[in-house]
């Protein structure tokens, strides 16, 4: 029997920052992910679309180790974090976690921390200089259009501002890839635009991102690759223009008809 704690983070040649192979996840008898495989190259934006309950968020949670996959492989930069459903050691997983940031749909800011402390706390706890992190955090807040908000608390901000703080917090760890789980689902249309503008800017800067979204025009305009999921499988994937304008699968066509004007 394998000892998960001693499993080495072996390497496998790959040009991708993230590679997922035959990933499986079930909750009791409900198979949520069924043999999911995908790869994410540096500098690319991957949008994952599909109906509610299709497994999109669970896929992100498995990729970020918030859920425990039942089988398959997860590799970062060619190194196994998970191989055949067996996880690397706790220390190795901690190292893998520094490679990505995760932005949740409900912000998940610490309500008793100021904006600046929300953004800067994690890198400081990881041993970085407080002065260096504070300077970086202030630059990120400026980039997010939040100048002058560093001493505010989350309850004093709009939803769009809170989500931009959450993005700054993720970026402050200097991740190689950012995961977004429905980053605008809790926002009204005006505030949604604020957050999508920030993500577009990051895309222009070649930040590697995986975005679970229901914002179809955004996914079409910003993504390098679109994945359509339903029923725990990837039904169709490819170039955004091809997927949105000439889908091959009937299920994809049915889903996209809802968004046609």
């Amino acid at each position: 029997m394998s000892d998960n704690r001693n499993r080495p983070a072996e390497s496998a040649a790959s040009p991708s920052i993230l590679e997922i192979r035959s990933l499986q996840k079930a909750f009791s008898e409900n198979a949520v992910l069924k043999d999911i495989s995908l790869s994410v190259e540096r500098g690319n934006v991957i949008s994952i679309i599909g109906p509610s309950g299709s497994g999109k968020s669970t896929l992100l949670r498995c990729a970020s180790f918030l859920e425990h996959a039942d089988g398959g492989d997860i590799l970062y930069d060619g190194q196994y974090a998970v191989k055949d459903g067996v996880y690397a050691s706790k220390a190795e997983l901690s190292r893998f976690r520094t490679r990505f940031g995760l932005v949740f749909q409900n912000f998940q800011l610490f309500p008793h921390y100021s904006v600046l402390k929300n953004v800067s706390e994690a890198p400081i706890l990881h041993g970085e200089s407080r002065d260096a992190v504070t300077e970086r955090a202030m630059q990120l807040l400026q980039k997010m259009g939040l100048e002058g908000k560093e001493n505010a608390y989350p309850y004093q901000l709009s939803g769009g501002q809170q989500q931009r703080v959450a993005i700054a917090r993720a970026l402050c760890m200097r991740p190689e890839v950012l995961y977004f789980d429905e980053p605008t689902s809790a926002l009204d249309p005006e505030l949604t635009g604020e957050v999508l503008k920030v993500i577009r800017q990051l895309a222009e800067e070649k930040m590697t991102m995986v975005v679970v979204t229901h914002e179809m025009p955004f996914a079409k305009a910003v993504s390098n690759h679109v994945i359509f999921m339903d029923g725990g499988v990837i039904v169709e994937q490819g170039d955004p223009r091809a997927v949105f304008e000439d889908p091959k699968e009937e299920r994809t066509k049915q889903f996209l008809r809802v968004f046609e004007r």
Side-chain angles (χ1 to χ4, degrees):
M1 182 174 178
S2 298
D3 184 346
N4 294 11
R5 295 170 300 174
N6 298 321
R7 186 64 176 263
E10 306 168 49
S11 295
S14 171
S16 305
I17 179 60
L18 170 69
E19 190 165 359
I20 290 174
R21 303 172 183 165
S22 301
L23 196 69
Q24 302 156 47
K25 174 65 182 177
F27 295 102
S28 298
E29 300 300 315
N30 181 26
V32 179
L33 299 177
K34 308 168 187 175
D35 198 27
I36 296 289
S37 297
L38 61 89
S39 62
V40 181
E41 296 185 6
R42 291 181 186 277
N44 281 359
V45 179
I46 310 299
S47 287
I48 304 177
I49 63 173
S52 297
S54 58
K56 307 183 303 295
S57 293
T58 300
L59 174 57
L60 281 196
R61 292 178 66 83
C62 286
S64 56
F65 315 136
L66 293 176
E67 294 286 356
H68 196 287
D70 299 324
D73 305 335
I74 301 174
L75 299 89
Y76 281 94
D77 210 13
Q79 287 199 314
Y80 284 100
V82 182
K83 186 175 184 182
D84 299 327
V86 178
Y87 280 66
S89 69
K90 184 177 179 180
E92 288 172 328
L93 287 180
S94 180
R95 177 172 55 83
F96 282 119
R97 285 189 179 96
T98 66
R99 308 192 77 149
F100 58 78
L102 182 59
V103 179
F104 300 90
Q105 56 184 301
N106 293 318
F107 324 136
Q108 297 199 6
L109 301 177
F110 293 108
H112 56 295
Y113 283 2
S114 69
V115 165
L116 180 59
K117 190 169 184 180
N118 263 288
V119 174
S120 62
E121 186 74 357
I124 291 171
L125 289 176
H126 276 77
E128 290 194 56
S129 157
R130 181 175 296 274
D131 289 345
V133 171
T134 298
E135 181 179 358
R136 185 163 78 242
M138 292 295 287
Q139 291 172 348
L140 285 168
L141 290 174
Q142 182 178 14
K143 181 176 182 177
M144 297 294 125
L146 294 167
E147 305 96 321
K149 297 293 186 182
E150 60 273 9
N151 295 319
Y153 286 82
Y155 77 91
Q156 297 173 307
L157 305 178
S158 70
Q161 289 172 328
Q162 289 185 60
Q163 191 62 294
R164 283 180 279 152
V165 172
I167 295 171
R169 177 179 61 184
L171 288 170
C172 202
M173 287 295 291
R174 296 188 285 198
E176 296 173 66
V177 57
L178 267 185
Y179 296 128
F180 291 87
D181 186 9
E182 296 284 7
T184 61
S185 65
L187 305 176
D188 64 35
E190 184 176 4
L191 300 181
T192 291
E194 293 179 8
V195 173
L196 294 181
K197 181 179 178 181
V198 169
I199 301 175
R200 285 174 184 268
Q201 180 183 352
L202 293 173
E204 291 170 1
E205 296 170 1
K206 298 300 182 183
M207 180 74 207
T208 309
M209 293 182 283
V210 181
V211 186
V212 169
T213 183
H214 282 113
E215 299 290 337
M216 298 300 122
F218 166 82
K220 182 179 178 181
V222 175
S223 307
N224 301 100
H225 192 81
V226 171
I227 293 171
F228 171 61
M229 289 183 64
D230 190 29
V233 301
I234 294 175
V235 176
E236 187 164 354
Q237 61 179 311
D239 176 82
R241 186 174 295 276
V243 172
F244 283 105
E245 296 182 6
D246 187 26
K248 306 303 180 188
E249 301 296 328
E250 183 58 33
R251 182 65 187 97
T252 314
K253 295 175 184 177
Q254 292 173 355
F255 176 77
L256 292 175
R257 282 192 198 110
V258 177
F259 298 94
E260 292 177 357
R261 296 183 183 274

